[in-house]
Amino acid sequence: MNNCFKIAIIASALTFAFFSSATASETRPPKDADRAAAMKNAREAFMANKVAFFTNELELTPEEAQVFWPLYNEFWDKRTSAHKDYMNILKRINSLDEGSKENVEKLSDEFERAITKESDLLKEYYPKFKKVLPTEKAMKIFNTEEKFKRSLFNRYKKSSAPAAPGNGKPDNGKIKN
């Protein structure tokens, strides 16, 4: 190879490396503060959607909503904490060394406490909900939670589903002629 050709290859490689690093710096993930702000905004939007959904589904009056939401938020915080404990135990179960019977028994006891903690919360808070809401509405709370989860899942599924081929309508598995 002649020297001009070598210089051109080296110059091209350096140019490519320079532009690649410049492009990479522009597409970096946001800084921690930006990420924290985005998470806060997403949580606020989630909670606003949840409040609207529950208020509509349970047909809460303004007076009912005023006493229901602080109680429900207290319940939800405790339930979320209990669920985190449960999930941490599940992770530990998956990495458990089967050779230690003592560790297995200890983790088994923790697991039992974790699964009963959530049901204990339901038993504790259901009568409290009945004190602040009519019984019919209190009975609907946990069903409304499931409906809300399904609506979130369906929204996610629709937003992440690839476009159907052809005219945009689903194929329905029919064989085309």
Side-chain angles (χ1 to χ4, degrees):
M1 267 197 241
N2 68 27
N3 284 340
C4 289
F5 188 68
K6 289 179 184 176
I7 292 173
I9 290 175
I10 292 171
S12 296
L14 289 173
T15 303
F16 177 77
F18 173 78
F19 282 113
S20 294
S21 67
T23 303
S25 68
E26 293 173 4
T27 59
R28 265 190 213 133
K31 294 179 183 172
D32 288 342
D34 294 341
R35 189 174 298 130
M39 290 296 289
K40 181 181 178 194
N41 290 339
R43 179 167 167 63
E44 287 173 359
F46 171 82
M47 292 308 294
N49 284 331
K50 187 174 186 177
V51 167
F53 188 90
F54 272 63
T55 301
N56 184 47
E57 283 289 316
L58 297 174
E59 299 175 349
L60 297 176
T61 66
E63 296 80 21
E64 290 170 340
Q66 188 174 5
V67 291
F68 168 73
W69 282 108
L71 182 61
Y72 181 82
N73 290 336
E74 177 184 301
F75 163 74
W76 186 254
D77 289 343
K78 289 180 180 181
R79 191 176 191 187
T80 301
S81 174
H83 187 72
K84 283 180 185 176
D85 293 345
Y86 170 76
M87 294 304 292
N88 285 333
I89 291 169
L90 287 182
K91 287 178 189 173
R92 289 174 42 211
I93 288 171
N94 289 333
S95 63
L96 187 63
D97 177 17
E98 293 180 20
S100 171
K101 185 172 175 75
E102 183 180 299
N103 286 342
V104 171
E105 289 300 321
K106 181 180 174 189
L107 195 55
S108 175
D109 293 343
E110 287 180 43
F111 181 73
E112 187 177 343
R113 281 192 298 275
I115 60 177
T116 57
K117 189 174 184 180
E118 191 167 357
S119 66
D120 289 346
L121 283 170
L122 295 173
K123 286 194 306 192
E124 175 187 349
Y125 276 85
Y126 179 67
K128 292 178 180 183
F129 290 136
K130 282 179 35 178
K131 285 182 182 177
V132 299
L133 295 177
T135 303
E136 303 83 36
K137 292 181 182 184
M139 288 173 46
K140 289 176 145 183
I141 293 169
F142 305 110
N143 188 33
T144 301
E145 285 182 337
E146 291 305 313
K147 283 183 177 179
F148 182 67
K149 285 182 211 173
R150 278 194 306 273
S151 76
L152 288 176
F153 179 73
N154 289 335
R155 239 188 283 165
Y156 171 76
K157 208 163 79 171
K158 284 179 185 175
S159 71
S160 65
N167 61 4
K169 294 181 182 176
D171 188 12
N172 294 333
K174 294 181 182 175
I175 298 175
K176 296 178 184 169
N177 294 339

